[in-house]
Every structure is written in C-alpha cells, then in structure tokens.
Amino acid sequence: MINDLKTITILFRATNEIEKIIADDVLQYGLNPSEFGALEVLYHKGALPVQSICEKVLIASSSMSYVIENLIKKEFINKTKNIQDKRYHIVELSDKGRHLMDEIYPKHVQKLRKVINILNQDEELSLQINLKKLGKQEK
C-alpha cells in the first residue's frame, strides 16, 4: 500500500480542521455543532420525527434528546406527539428558529465555501466522488 496510512492521517487532519471551523462558526450564534445540525436538517427538510433527525445528523438518540431539549429551551424548535403514533414525537422549527436559520445559514454556507473554494470545481467533484466511494464500500 502506498505510504501505509498516510491518506487516513491526512483525511482525519482535514476533517478535524473543518470540524473546528464549523464549531467556531456556529458558536458565535450560541449553538454547538449538534444543535446547528439539527436546526439545519429541520430548516431544509421540515418537521421530522426525532429518529429521522438522528439519522441525518449522525448522533445517538440519547445525545439527540439532550440537543432537542436545549433547542426547546432556546425556543428554536417545537416538539409535539405524532398524531398517527403517540409513541413518537415530531420536531419542527419555531418561528424564532426559522428566523435564526434564515439569518445565519447563508453566512455559514459562505464561511464553509471559503474553505472548499481552495479546490477548483473539478477537484471538488473528484473529492466528492472519492469520499463517497470510501464511505459506501462493503465492510
């Protein structure tokens, strides 16, 4: 194999740096990355069951419960029982949450585009293809 695990090390270092940029960016809005992730999913997908948010944000259900409760306290989301199945809760952005995301999401995208724009369009597309290939392989 070429350079042992050098590719993995580079991938982890890049991921850590991007995670730090994201954390610093959302912190200025009083959010942590998990809270922002949940708000972002609801912003783009609309009302969802808690489990669907967990799957999209890629965090454990127990951690998501904490995130949901924090966002309710901050009045960014509403949680109600699912009408069809009372065992599940539906979460949606509140008016305050939608207003927040309308304001901060474009700024967040702009910040992250500055990070990605070091790559030209072909390099970015190649990176997407290769990362998908790595992520979807059989185990």
Side-chain angles (χ1 to χ4, degrees):
M1 198 80 211
I2 303 171
N3 298 317
D4 284 333
L5 298 175
K6 186 174 183 176
T7 302
I8 299 295
T9 301
I10 292 168
L11 179 61
F12 276 120
R13 286 187 178 151
T15 301
N16 287 340
E17 186 60 29
I18 291 169
E19 285 176 346
K20 183 181 179 318
I21 291 167
I22 290 169
D24 290 346
D25 186 54
V26 301
L27 181 63
Q28 68 182 316
Y29 306 113
L31 300 168
N32 64 45
S34 295
E35 291 170 335
F36 182 83
L39 290 173
E40 184 181 6
V41 166
L42 295 169
Y43 187 63
H44 288 102
K45 301 292 183 183
L48 291 170
V50 174
Q51 186 57 38
S52 294
I53 300 169
C54 292
E55 292 167 3
K56 302 226 180 277
V57 179
L58 302 177
I59 65 172
S61 188
S62 58
S63 297
M64 183 54 73
S65 295
Y66 178 74
V67 168
I68 297 292
E69 292 309 313
N70 282 345
L71 292 173
I72 289 170
K73 287 178 190 172
K74 294 177 183 181
E75 301 178 343
F76 293 141
I77 63 170
N78 300 312
K79 181 173 87 169
T80 55
K81 285 207 185 273
N82 185 334
I83 295 168
Q84 287 87 22
D85 189 339
K86 303 273 189 227
R87 295 174 296 170
Y88 299 100
H89 287 91
I90 301 294
V91 179
E92 64 183 337
L93 288 177
S94 65
D95 289 341
K96 182 178 178 181
R98 178 152 303 282
H99 178 73
L100 174 73
M101 291 304 287
D102 284 343
E103 181 183 329
I104 71 173
Y105 185 74
K107 295 174 188 175
H108 183 70
V109 170
Q110 187 177 31
K111 176 80 169 187
L112 294 183
R113 282 307 320 169
K114 284 182 183 178
V115 173
I116 297 295
N117 283 342
I118 193 168
L119 304 174
N120 68 38
Q121 192 173 7
D122 290 339
E123 290 169 330
E124 183 178 351
L125 181 59
S126 177
L127 179 61
Q128 289 173 7
I129 291 166
N130 288 315
L131 289 173
K132 284 179 184 177
K133 186 188 277 187
L134 284 173
K136 291 187 178 191
Q137 63 186 311
E138 290 188 34
K139 289 156 180 84

